Amino acid sequence: MMTTTTQSTQPDLLYSEEEEALRAAVRDLLSDHCDAAGVITRTETDTPHDPELWKALSDGMGLAGLLVPEALGGQGATHREVAVVLEELGRAVAPVPYLTSAVVATEALLACEGEEAAGLLTALASGRTIGALAVALSVAPGGAHRAVRNEDGFLYGELTGIADAAVADVLLVPADDGGLYAVDGDAVTVTPQVSLDLTRPLATVTFDGVRARRLGAADPAVRRALRSGAGLLASEQLGLADWCLTETVRYLKERKQFNRPVGGFQALKHRLAQLWLEVVNTRAAARAAADALATGSADTDVSVAVAQAYAASVAVHTAEEALQLHGGIGMTWEHPVHLYLKRAKADSIAYGTAGAHRATLAELVDLQAP
């Protein structure tokens, strides 16, 4: 009797040649247009976003439309390519609305049908229109979110903690009738909130009888958007952590004490080795989440929860160690490490805390607390 063996297909988490080429192109662009001193200077102004950098990324390289189908003017790429872009943006703490517009808002629109949604997808893919989902940055996939009141196509209410609302040309707004609506950014009142991460500012958005255009059902669109946001945020956290580790190792090789490189001391070697291990593990988790989103895997929810449950604390730990191991210079405003620590701390509560994702993971794998 003949027997057949069925082998499960394992995801290939290694970077392809195309992905490495994309990484090199994005890194070169950021090296030329996103220096640390310039980012720090922008955080001291009323316009923390860099419109010229955004134009170079979106219009010049077409990166804003990676997730948008080619038929709608996008690149028709996958979440794996987007993850590579976010790694590089995380390494540079780039002050652009890529995650909020090219990922979260785009994914919300991809869950909707009709000409209105298709037109907005084409606009977002060009980069000349910036979108933002009007859901607080802290909300986890599947979590409860606030909605505004809809009265005959006009929206009333207030939403807080909306990331990149200040630069959004269009807001995607959930309403109390279960619909997702498009609202022009200049038709609402946007009030900046105090944000720890000055490169991704938050704001309160007030709707006072604003005319809105219905796009589709809010719940599936919001859930899809937040799941992708959480899964791909891990790649941004990976890039951030990798920069912190690389720069700390470089500094400790150059900094001397007692006439020898500081990095030669055994205690510091142990700390760096631990960081390296955490960064490598984060890369595996982030790549698994990106691949699951790209392939529509049945384990996507699990992969996203694992990635966020792990990556958030690693990014914070690596940034904290980078600041401490840089010594006195790491405490100064002029050194960019504070940008990375603030981004890491802000990211740790974005799209759900690590604890929330661990709770979700426990439910998904039927492992309840005692």
Side-chain angles (χ1 to χ4, degrees):
M1 181 177 66
M2 296 180 61
T3 60
T4 57
T5 301
T6 302
Q7 295 182 345
S8 59
T9 303
Q10 296 296 324
D12 181 6
L13 303 185
L14 298 177
Y15 298 99
S16 66
E17 291 184 8
E18 292 79 8
E19 290 166 351
E20 290 292 5
L22 175 61
R23 178 195 306 284
V26 175
R27 186 173 297 188
D28 286 346
L29 176 66
L30 293 173
S31 297
D32 294 337
H33 294 84
C34 191
D35 62 291
V39 176
I40 293 173
T41 299
R42 280 199 166 275
T43 63
E44 300 171 330
T45 69
D46 294 331
T47 55
H49 286 97
D50 188 341
E52 292 302 318
L53 175 59
W54 175 250
K55 183 177 180 180
L57 288 167
S58 58
D59 193 23
M61 297 186 68
L63 299 182
L66 285 181
L67 291 178
V68 179
E70 292 184 54
L72 296 177
Q75 305 298 319
T78 73
H79 300 79
R80 288 177 60 110
E81 288 78 22
V82 174
V84 171
V85 174
L86 282 169
E87 283 183 37
E88 294 308 309
L89 295 178
R91 285 181 60 90
V93 198
V96 291
Y98 190 84
L99 181 65
T100 49
S101 182
V103 176
V104 176
T106 296
E107 285 280 23
L109 289 171
L110 286 170
C112 301
E113 299 179 354
E115 294 183 2
E116 185 70 36
L120 285 175
L121 279 170
T122 300
L124 262 59
S126 71
R128 289 183 284 276
T129 296
I130 297 173
L133 179 66
V135 172
L137 184 63
S138 59
V139 176
H145 58 85
R146 295 180 60 185
V148 297
R149 188 173 76 258
N150 178 22
E151 294 184 6
D152 300 323
F154 293 89
L155 304 184
Y156 298 83
E158 182 179 274
L159 300 173
T160 60
I162 310 303
D164 294 334
V167 295
D169 300 299
V170 61
L171 292 163
L172 310 180
V173 189
D176 59 359
D177 65 347
L180 185 70
Y181 292 84
V183 173
D184 293 334
D186 57 5
V188 300
T189 301
V190 178
T191 306
Q193 295 179 239
V194 177
S195 307
L196 177 62
D197 178 12
L198 299 177
T199 63
R200 183 174 287 150
L202 305 179
T204 296
V205 183
T206 303
F207 302 83
D208 187 15
V210 179
R211 182 179 294 277
R213 311 179 298 278
R214 185 181 174 95
L215 299 169
D219 284 348
V222 170
R223 177 172 177 78
R224 173 173 175 167
L226 297 185
R227 185 176 73 165
S228 292
L232 292 173
L233 177 63
S235 292
E236 178 183 289
Q237 292 164 319
L238 167 62
L240 184 156
D242 190 55
W243 181 92
C244 289
L245 175 59
T246 301
E247 285 301 304
T248 302
V249 170
R250 182 190 62 77
Y251 175 77
L252 293 182
K253 285 181 178 180
E254 297 176 354
R255 178 76 168 89
K256 291 187 177 181
Q257 197 172 53
F258 306 114
N259 203 33
R260 60 178 291 190
V262 175
F265 291 99
Q266 193 71 12
L268 298 189
K269 287 183 178 180
H270 287 168
R271 290 169 69 173
L272 293 172
Q274 178 61 34
L275 292 180
W276 179 84
L277 183 62
E278 292 179 5
V279 171
V280 169
N281 288 338
T282 300
R283 178 172 288 109
R287 292 295 292 169
D291 185 78
L293 287 166
T295 59
S297 168
D299 293 328
T300 298
D301 288 341
V302 171
S303 297
V304 169
V306 168
Q308 268 310 303
Y310 188 77
S313 60
V314 170
V316 172
H317 182 216
T318 311
E320 289 176 341
E321 288 285 78
L323 188 146
Q324 292 184 16
L325 294 176
H326 273 81
I329 192 174
M331 303 291 177
T332 65
W333 183 260
E334 289 74 15
H335 196 281
V337 70
H338 68 88
L339 296 174
Y340 292 83
L341 180 56
K342 292 170 183 174
R343 172 66 71 85
K345 293 290 285 186
D347 280 357
S348 69
I349 59 174
Y351 305 120
T353 62
H357 285 284
R358 282 193 289 269
T360 297
L361 181 61
E363 293 180 5
L364 290 171
V365 299
D366 195 24
L367 182 63
Q368 301 302 311

